[in-house]
Amino acid sequence: MDSNENIMPEAKGLNFVEEIVNNDLKDGKNGGRLNTRFPPEPNGYLHIGHAKAICMDFGIAEKFGGTCNLRFDDTNPVKEDVEYVDSIREDIKWLGFDWGDREYYASDYFPQLFELAVRLIKEGKAYVDDQTSEQIASQKGTPTQPGTESPYRSRSVEENLDLFMRMNAGEFEEGSRVLRAKIDMANSNMHFRDPIMYRIIKTPHHRTGTTWKVYPMYDFAHGQSDYFEGVTHSICTLEFVPHRPLYEYFVKELADETYCPRQIEFNRLNLTYTVMSKRKLLQLVKEGLVAGWDDPRMPTISGLRRRGFTPRSIRNFIDAIGYTKYEALNSISLLEHAVRDDLNKISTRGMAVINPVKVVITNYPEGQTEMVEMENNPEDTESGVHQMPFSREIYIERDDFMENPPKKFFRLAPDGEVRLKGAYIVKCTGVKKDADGNIEEIYCTYDPDTRSGLPGASRKVKGTLHWVSAPTAVNATARIYDRLFCVENPAAETERDFREMLNPDSLKVAEGIKVEPYLAEISSPGVPLQFQRIGYFTLDKDSTPGNLIFNRTIALKDSWEKINK
Ligand code: ATP
Ligand code: MG
């Protein structure tokens, strides 16, 4: 019998990373431990690509009874900030994962990393190079041509030690010297051509202040941090494949046969109609092209949350696309499908009119109000009902009325009948226009026998409209969001500035929308609502009691699908 109950009985249905983990556990590697980590650099907000990594790192630990560390990869004080640390914590929790007390920082390991660097210098495996980064880059060679050795490569151990200590004491300018690993300038793997281990940075660090003047490069920090933390499986994205030999090279300086972390790579999440590079997202924020990292058009977790996406929809989408070893471009329609699917199950239905025109029901008593019953969610039998007022004056959508309708227009038109959802059948008897011919009011009569529960309730008409009673309607604003870019793969259009490809219609603001009182009352950021026939909405954080602002999470149907056909 297997002593380790975390081992999956059969590897069927496991993705390739899970299979590797399953086999390692079966073989008793690392004492049968599983410890992963999610290692964000706190230099921006997390995006949905990170969510894919989070679902892998935390998900696999959950599945096999291991642990997952949150490690802030804070090795570059120039770009990093506590604002980002806080947002990263919040976003991971919102997605439904918990790192408990396993919160670590690469900066916690600066002393050990420095010590290792000193040891490598002493063993003749590292040297201080006085050249500029441009000079070093020019000596790198190409994949088919060997690089050139630095003139400083054969410095004595004593001189290297002295210079490295003085680099860290702040004696030298930024960019004037670096510490390099002495490996092989002719290696076919370019990352082995004497990679930089440390550079001088004088900007204070958000955690360690001015203690350090030298900071480790990613390749010198990551594997060792994994080792110091006891990470067994360091799962990352495919661009790190060529870094893996270097990861192993440095880890070997620490590890032995009883414990050695290993790196495994999977394909990145790339989404159509958006960009995923933190640099570009930062640029959109800095240049005011969006309203911040959590702008609901951004692919950031905080943006998607503000927009009304749910953690479950994001996780379901990530499950659906899966993990492979090949780069791909994932369709945003698939994400939107997952969002609609989840919101359909959980959102409270109600009525809101986005572009209102008033309807006066001339045979309904003035001053009278009656309540009609509305189902909260037909997909959820336990969600109950709520009451909605009906009165002589109501609002309907302006484009649900046509004075001269084409054939097959089943909404309201002169002499035509429609059902007001949940209430009566009404018939249009006339309109009032302003001096320019715009319709100001529509006049109708209602058939009092057609309300639910009355004999005429089953009378059939072709169209059913949503509506809101005028005297009690809550005025609000709707922000109608659409895709951020108008080209499918902005990152592929390398000839064009990505900002030129922004969708000019990605945000439309509709003021003076009319919302039924119940919806306004239950609304709060993150509470999912369905404005019937319009789409899914949630309250925005910019809302105030006097000015409710609703974000459209997504339309009921995918309108882009039609356009692309
Ligand atoms: P940068 O663009 O600054 O290199 P990054 O997007 O790689 O940043 P990190 O903070 O270094 O951001 O990423 C943390 C983790 O998230 C890494 O393990 C990385 O592989 C993973 N990750 C980042 N982007 C994606 C993506 N699009 N799909 C899947 N995983 C991703
Ligand atoms: Mg990165």
Side-chain angles (χ1 to χ4, degrees), residues 170-194:
E171 279 188 40
F172 308 123
E173 289 312 303
E174 285 185 11
S176 63
R177 282 182 171 84
V178 290
L179 182 72
R180 296 177 73 179
K182 193 173 181 174
I183 307 180
D184 178 9
M185 287 306 291
N187 201 289
S188 60
N189 183 333
M190 303 273 289
H191 294 281
F192 268 27
R193 295 184 185 173
D194 291 9

Side-chain angles (χ1 to χ4, degrees), residues 28-192:
K29 277 200 190 146
N30 305 309
R33 278 191 315 114
L34 170 63
N35 190 172
T36 58
R37 88 285 166 268
F38 173 63
E41 182 177 359
N43 63 351
Y45 280 58
L46 296 182
H47 53 58
I48 187 158
H50 295 111
K52 179 174 180 179
I54 291 168
C55 287
M56 167 57 81
D57 296 327
F58 284 93
I60 204 166
E62 262 174 29
K63 189 165 182 172
F64 290 88
T67 46
C68 180
N69 302 353
L70 170 59
R71 182 191 323 133
F72 291 100
D73 196 0
D74 56 347
T75 51
N76 183 358
V78 180
K79 292 186 184 163
E80 294 157 9
D81 198 279
V82 278
E83 177 198 344
Y84 299 133
V85 170
D86 294 341
S87 74
I88 288 169
R89 284 203 198 103
E90 187 184 352
D91 291 347
I92 299 173
K93 282 194 191 136
W94 180 75
L95 281 172
F97 296 105
D98 186 7
W99 58 96
D101 58 358
R102 314 185 67 84
E103 180 171 312
Y104 303 101
Y105 293 80
S107 55
D108 295 341
Y109 312 123
F110 285 169
Q112 289 112 296
L113 289 168
F114 191 82
E115 206 178 290
L116 176 64
V118 168
R119 195 182 100 201
L120 294 180
I121 293 172
K122 286 183 179 161
E123 292 172 2
K125 293 175 183 165
Y127 63 97
V128 172
D129 195 333
D130 297 358
Q131 299 182 101
T132 62
S133 55
E134 290 77 23
Q135 284 171 314
I136 292 172
S138 73
Q139 295 162 356
K140 267 249 139 165
T142 67
T144 50
Q145 277 176 324
T148 314
E149 291 187 357
S150 162
Y152 300 95
R153 199 171 194 264
S154 44
R155 270 185 159 142
S156 70
V157 167
E158 290 68 33
E159 192 181 6
N160 280 322
L161 268 182
D162 174 60
L163 286 171
F164 188 50
M165 294 302 163
R166 288 165 60 198
M167 279 167 68
N168 193 38
E171 279 188 40
F172 308 123
E173 289 312 303
E174 285 185 11
S176 63
R177 282 182 171 84
V178 290
L179 182 72
R180 296 177 73 179
K182 193 173 181 174
I183 307 180
D184 178 9
M185 287 306 291
N187 201 289
S188 60
N189 183 333
M190 303 273 289
H191 294 281
F192 268 27

Side-chain angles (χ1 to χ4, degrees), residues 258-469:
T258 63
Y259 161 53
C260 183
R262 76 182 276 192
Q263 179 182 306
I264 306 163
E265 311 85 8
F266 65 82
N267 63 332
R268 291 176 80 85
L269 168 57
N270 298 299
L271 261 195
T272 55
Y273 298 102
T274 192
V275 294
M276 216 63 94
S277 135
K278 272 199 257 182
R279 188 180 53 78
K280 287 180 182 160
L281 295 176
L282 178 64
Q283 207 176 339
L284 294 177
V285 173
K286 284 225 166 123
E287 294 176 9
L289 296 167
V290 293
W293 283 100
D294 67 348
D295 185 300
R297 292 166 292 181
M298 292 279 271
T300 51
I301 313 267
S302 51
L304 299 174
R305 173 167 66 235
R306 186 170 169 192
R307 171 114 166 220
F309 284 34
T310 59
R312 187 167 41 218
S313 61
I314 293 172
R315 290 171 68 162
N316 287 347
F317 163 68
I318 286 165
D319 268 355
I321 58 171
Y323 296 86
T324 74
K325 292 189 216 185
Y326 308 96
E327 289 300 0
L329 182 61
N330 304 108
S331 168
I332 200 166
S333 293
L334 213 59
L335 171 61
E336 293 169 345
H337 173 79
V339 172
R340 286 192 187 93
D341 191 51
D342 192 36
L343 291 179
N344 179 43
K345 292 181 193 130
I346 61 171
S347 53
T348 302
R349 271 63 168 174
M351 308 259 207
V353 175
I354 302 296
N355 183 15
V357 61
K358 189 176 271 182
V359 175
V360 181
I361 300 162
T362 51
N363 60 340
Y364 194 86
E366 251 170 274
Q368 178 173 313
T369 302
E370 66 187 289
M371 301 305 270
V372 299
E373 194 169 274
M374 294 287 168
E375 242 181 326
N376 286 335
N377 184 354
E379 302 292 318
D380 174 3
T381 46
E382 273 157 41
S383 63
V385 295
H386 68 269
Q387 305 295 319
M388 179 167 135
F390 179 80
S391 64
R392 179 182 161 94
E393 296 195 350
I394 63 167
Y395 294 106
I396 65 167
E397 292 297 340
R398 201 163 266 284
D399 59 12
D400 277 340
F401 176 80
M402 277 184 94
E403 214 180 357
N404 299 299
K407 266 193 182 167
K408 303 223 165 163
F409 182 80
F410 297 130
R411 292 168 280 165
L412 195 61
D415 298 321
E417 281 190 319
V418 292
R419 177 173 286 280
L420 298 173
K421 186 164 172 65
Y424 300 96
I425 290 176
V426 293
K427 178 175 188 170
C428 175
T429 54
V431 296
K432 178 170 130 196
K433 293 184 187 173
D434 67 10
D436 300 326
N438 300 313
I439 291 169
E440 280 187 323
E441 275 180 359
I442 299 168
Y443 301 107
C444 287
T445 53
Y446 83 117
D447 177 347
D449 197 31
T450 50
R451 214 194 121 152
S452 137
L454 300 179
S458 58
R459 184 149 83 78
K460 292 269 180 293
V461 286
K462 287 234 163 99
T464 301
L465 304 187
H466 64 280
W467 54 276
V468 171
S469 172

Side-chain angles (χ1 to χ4, degrees), residues 7-8 11 14 16-29 64 233 262:
I7 296 167
M8 291 275 154
L14 300 183
F16 77 97
V17 183
E18 293 170 338
E19 254 174 56
I20 293 173
V21 164
N22 194 43
N23 288 335
D24 283 353
L25 290 174
K26 231 187 267 176
D27 295 346
K29 277 200 190 146
F64 290 88
H233 296 79
R262 76 182 276 192

